[in-house]
Structure formats: C-alpha cells, structure tokens
Amino acid sequence: MSAALELAAASTTSTGEAVQFWILGITAVIGALCTILMRKAVHSALCLAGTMIILAVFYLANGAYFLGIVQIIVYTGAIMMLFLFVVMLVGVTAADSLKETLKGQRLMAALCGLGFGILLIAGIANASLKTFNGLGRVNSAGNVEGLAELIFTRYVFAFEITGALLITAAVGAMVLTHRERTEAASTQRELAERRVRAGVQLPPLPAPGVYARHNAVDVEGLLPDGTPSELSVSQTLRARGQIRDVSGEALADLKALERRSADRLGREEEAAK
C-alpha cells in the first residue's frame, strides 16, 4: 500500500511545481530566444547566463543539488563570465557578425542546428511519460555517485566531446584577444620622417591658454593676433562642446591695454615738451 502511494506521489505534479515549471520554463525559453536574436554579443551572453541560472533552479527543484550548484558556480559563474569578458575585450559588434570569414560556415551552422534539433526531438520522443523512477531511487547511492555513474559510463563520449568543444572555444578566445605584431615597431626617427613627408604639425601643439589669461585645458589658446588656435585644445572636448571661448574677452582686454598705453605715451610726450 505504501509503495503504491509513493508511486502515485512520484507520478503526480503539485500545483506549486506546475506554477514553477510554467513561469521558469517560459522565462528560460525567452532567454534562449534572446540569446539568438540579440544584436549585441554582450546582451546575448547575459541572456544565456540567465537561462543557465533558470536551469540550475530546475536541477535544485528536482533534487539534483550537486548538479544545480555546479551549474551556477562553474558554468554561469566561471565559463559564462569568461566568455562575457572575452566578448567585451574583443569588441564584437553587430557589423562584425555580418562578415563571413569562412566560406560555407552558415550552411554548416544550419546543418549542425538541424542535426541538434533532430537529436533533441528523438530524445524527447524516447522519454518515458508514464513510468517514473522517482528521485529516491535515482539518488539512492547519492546524487554525486549517480551523476558520476551516468557521466563516466553511459554518456562518457558526449562528456568528452563537450569538454573538447569548451577547450577549443577557450583557445579560440585567447587567439582572438592576443594579436602578435607581424612587423617591427617604428622608431622615433622613422615616425618623425613620416610626419615631415606628410606635412602634418611638426612642432609640439600649442598649450592651452597661450596669450590668454587662462591656462585651463578647455580654453583655446590665442594667437598673437587674438584669434583662437584650434590645435591648443583636445578634439574630444571640441566634439563634446565643452570648450570655453574667451577670445572676445581677451581682445577687449587687449584693446583696453592699448588705449591705456596710448594715453600714457601721449601724456609722457606732452610732459617732455
């Protein structure tokens, strides 16, 4: 009688489990779709990390505590964050994804996706929906021991292939981020000769505030005729519109100084006479 009750309890789904499944399942599907449809690679990686966290919650709810913790610590916390930082370092944009560097890679990707879909459908079709072993029977010797038995006996080849794919992805990320110089660095003499041939600014750029009453970096330097020098301030500040124009004030002060000098010289000449 007790065995029949345990089998009935194992084969039925409570209201809380159903609510949890539908909420988390829909969220996981949305995260998986966003991983594919997002234009920015960083956003795709974040959506994939969220999907992995939801899968970890499913594992914990089904009694696979070791697998759920490993899913969060190893995959979401370590591998996915590593991929996220690599994507941010490489600087992958939506324009880069449109460039097909390898011929036929889209066809191969479509075939691989089709094959994965067939395997997924076949696995779901072969799953038993009427008989349940129960978590107590599966974890009778311990969750870690049961998981190790499945990984290193029945699914050992899939486990090794997955490990090889992860190692290949890590090596590819390191190759993309580490770019060795293919030619010798230019010396200072070569750089100077290149600047002379190009006819660019040869002497150092004028400092900010030259011939003005300010030495701030956001104040244009004034030439002797009172006009501002565009080379004396950073182009970044100019693009942001953060440059203070004091040329009018400086010209007014210069004219006032000239008038005072003329008046003083005039009085000195009159006194000399």
Side-chain angles (χ1 to χ4, degrees):
M1 184 66 180
S2 61
L5 292 176
E6 291 180 0
L7 181 60
S11 60
T12 57
T13 303
S14 63
T15 305
E17 291 176 345
V19 172
Q20 172 191 339
F21 172 78
W22 285 109
I23 293 177
L24 295 181
I26 293 174
T27 307
V29 172
I30 293 175
L33 292 176
C34 291
T35 302
I36 302 174
L37 300 177
M38 281 291 179
R39 293 182 178 273
K40 295 185 178 180
V42 176
H43 296 168
S44 298
L46 290 175
C47 292
L48 183 57
T51 305
M52 286 187 173
I53 293 176
I54 295 176
L55 292 178
V57 175
F58 276 125
Y59 293 146
L60 295 175
N62 288 317
Y65 303 111
F66 176 79
L67 189 59
I69 298 300
V70 168
Q71 178 76 17
I72 294 177
I73 296 176
V74 178
Y75 288 94
T76 308
I79 297 178
M80 276 308 304
M81 292 302 105
L82 176 62
F83 287 169
L84 180 61
F85 289 139
V86 167
V87 167
M88 296 172 66
L89 288 174
V90 174
V92 179
T93 60
D96 295 335
S97 61
L98 299 178
K99 299 178 181 179
E100 187 173 356
T101 56
L102 299 177
K103 294 183 178 180
Q105 62 177 355
R106 297 189 180 184
L107 179 60
M108 293 298 297
L111 293 177
C112 291
L114 181 61
F116 179 75
I118 293 174
L119 290 177
L120 184 61
I121 294 173
I124 295 175
N126 293 327
S128 176
L129 301 178
K130 295 181 179 180
T131 58
F132 301 91
N133 294 325
L135 296 177
R137 182 179 176 182
V138 175
N139 297 329
S140 58
N143 179 248
V144 178
E145 289 78 1
L147 185 63
E149 181 181 358
L150 290 176
I151 290 178
F152 295 107
T153 56
R154 183 181 300 179
Y155 302 107
V156 61
F157 292 105
F159 181 74
E160 294 296 334
I161 292 174
T162 304
L165 289 176
L166 291 176
I167 293 176
T168 304
V171 172
M174 289 188 292
V175 170
L176 290 176
T177 54
H178 180 70
R179 299 177 181 177
E180 295 184 357
R181 184 183 294 273
T182 58
E183 56 184 8
S186 300
T187 61
Q188 193 169 8
R189 181 183 179 87
E190 292 175 352
L191 292 176
E193 292 177 353
R194 194 179 305 167
R195 292 177 63 184
V196 171
R197 293 190 182 97
V200 297
Q201 179 74 22
L202 297 180
L205 298 177
V210 179
Y211 298 110
R213 295 187 177 183
H214 301 271
N215 59 355
V217 295
D218 58 345
V219 177
E220 292 180 332
L222 299 179
L223 299 176
D225 58 352
T227 58
S229 174
E230 296 182 357
L231 298 177
S232 60
V233 293
S234 174
Q235 297 298 326
T236 303
L237 295 178
R238 184 177 301 279
R240 293 177 180 175
Q242 298 177 347
I243 299 176
R244 291 185 295 167
D245 186 11
V246 295
S247 57
E249 179 184 353
L251 288 175
D253 294 341
L254 183 60
K255 291 180 179 179
L257 180 61
E258 291 176 352
R259 285 196 298 269
R260 289 195 299 270
S261 300
D263 295 340
R264 183 176 180 181
L265 291 175
R267 288 196 299 268
E268 289 180 355
E269 291 178 357
E270 293 178 356
K273 293 179 179 178

